[in-house]
């Protein structure tokens, strides 16, 4: 075997080992918070008709594939201390590619043109606001372990500042996701599409009221 061929094979093996190290098979699957009503996939966001399908309760869900793709579904309520009967609701969808860094952090990079957000503020507007949403997420660390209470796998994610998110539990493996490719291709990710839709049904009683800000570096957020 020639030296040049041997060098190429060695370099290829090194690159393959790096690629394998960038994902974690323990993450593979669809994970969801305690309510188990928010799940990634076509039951949450319909990219063909550009609409969200509102779950019965709030929560969030993350899905990961064994080849480095992810999807996120968020449905949260933001309480209003001045007018308690007027909480706002936010639904968000993103998907893209993820990688595990050398220090065991996770970086989630979305397909810039596909992210969507629906904001409902019923006491201030008769309609909801539908916009493009782009937010790169950075998790300082994560844990996949067996939950002793539920006797199922649990995923703990820690935001870029170390703050813990609500724990998630495995719901599906293989994961339940939309296709891992750009769903609404455009020539640019700028110029977010905005439109108003009819005010969404809102059933926030008894759900997980997530009042934390979404995890991510604010410098990546575009409105």
């Amino acid at each position: 075997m020639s030296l040049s061929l041997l060098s190429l094979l060695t370099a290829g093996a090194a690159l393959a080992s790096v690629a394998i190290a960038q994902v974690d098979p323990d993450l593979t699957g669809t994970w969801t918070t305690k309510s188990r009503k928010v799940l990634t996939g076509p039951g949450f966001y319909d990219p063909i008709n550009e609409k969200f399908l509102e779950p019965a309760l709030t929560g969030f869900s993350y899905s990961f594939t064994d080849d480095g793709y992810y999807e996120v579904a968020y449905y949260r309520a933001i309480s209003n201390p001045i007018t308690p009967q007027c909480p706002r609701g936010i639904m968000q969808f993103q998907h893209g590619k993820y990688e595990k860094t050398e220090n065991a952090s996770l970086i989630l990079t979305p397909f810039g043109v596909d992210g969507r957000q629906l904001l409902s503020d019923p006491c201030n507007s008769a309609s909801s606001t539908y916009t493009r949403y782009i937010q790169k997420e950075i998790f300082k660390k994560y844990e996949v372990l067996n939950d002793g209470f539920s006797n199922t796998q649990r995923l703990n994610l820690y935001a870029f500042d170390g703050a813990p998110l609500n724990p998630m539990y495995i719901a599906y493996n293989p994961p339940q996701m939309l296709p891992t490719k750009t769903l609404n291709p455009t020539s640019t990710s700028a110029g977010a599409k905005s439109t108003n839709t009819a005010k969404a049904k809102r059933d926030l009683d008894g759900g997980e009221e997530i009042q934390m800000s979404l995890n991510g570096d604010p410098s990546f957020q575009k409105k």
Side-chain angles (χ1 to χ4, degrees):
M1 182 180 294
S2 69
L3 181 60
S4 59
L5 179 58
L6 179 60
S7 298
L8 286 172
L9 291 174
T10 302
L15 288 173
S17 64
V18 170
I20 292 173
Q22 288 179 340
V23 300
D24 184 350
D26 287 343
L27 286 170
T28 300
T30 293
W31 306 82
T32 183
T33 48
K34 187 178 178 181
S35 73
R36 294 186 178 270
K37 297 297 184 182
V38 179
L39 295 163
T40 57
F44 182 80
Y45 171 64
D46 178 354
I48 297 176
N49 295 302
E50 287 273 5
K51 68 177 183 178
F52 284 96
L53 306 172
E54 188 177 358
L57 299 173
T58 54
F60 57 87
S61 175
Y62 282 75
S63 286
F64 300 92
T65 69
D66 55 11
D67 57 350
Y69 292 93
Y70 81 96
E71 184 174 322
V72 185
Y74 264 91
Y75 177 34
R76 64 191 184 106
I78 303 175
S79 62
N80 186 337
I82 298 176
T83 313
Q85 68 272 24
C86 291
R88 291 186 299 165
I90 297 178
M91 297 181 70
Q92 292 171 332
F93 160 83
Q94 288 198 124
H95 70 158
K97 299 211 69 174
Y98 90 90
E99 63 176 312
K100 179 182 177 181
T101 67
E102 292 183 356
N103 65 358
S105 297
L106 294 177
I107 299 176
L108 279 57
T109 304
F111 299 139
V113 298
D114 276 353
R116 296 292 185 270
Q117 174 176 279
L118 183 69
L119 173 63
S120 176
D121 190 358
C123 290
N124 293 314
S125 176
S127 60
S128 299
T129 303
Y130 183 74
T131 58
R132 181 168 290 150
Y133 179 80
I134 307 170
Q135 176 70 71
K136 187 171 184 176
E137 293 188 275
I138 301 173
F139 294 104
K140 186 174 183 179
K141 65 176 183 176
Y142 68 95
E143 300 166 329
V144 178
L145 44 83
N146 187 69
D147 183 76
F149 181 76
S150 62
N151 196 31
T152 188
Q153 283 185 298
R154 187 178 81 212
L155 173 61
N156 297 327
L157 293 177
Y158 296 84
F160 66 94
D161 60 357
L165 275 67
N166 285 357
M168 290 180 285
Y169 305 88
I170 192 71
Y172 297 104
N173 193 0
Q176 174 180 276
M177 302 169 65
L178 291 168
T180 55
K181 62 180 181 180
T182 300
L183 301 174
N184 294 290
T186 65
S187 59
T188 175
S189 62
K193 174 185 176 182
S194 286
T195 185
N196 287 333
T197 62
K199 185 169 70 175
K201 165 188 75 71
R202 293 160 53 80
D203 182 3
L204 305 178
D205 296 336
E208 295 175 11
E209 189 171 88
I210 306 165
Q211 297 178 27
M212 68 183 80
S213 61
L214 292 181
N215 176 60
D217 183 335
S219 66
F220 289 107
Q221 187 169 352
K222 298 180 182 179
K223 294 182 180 178

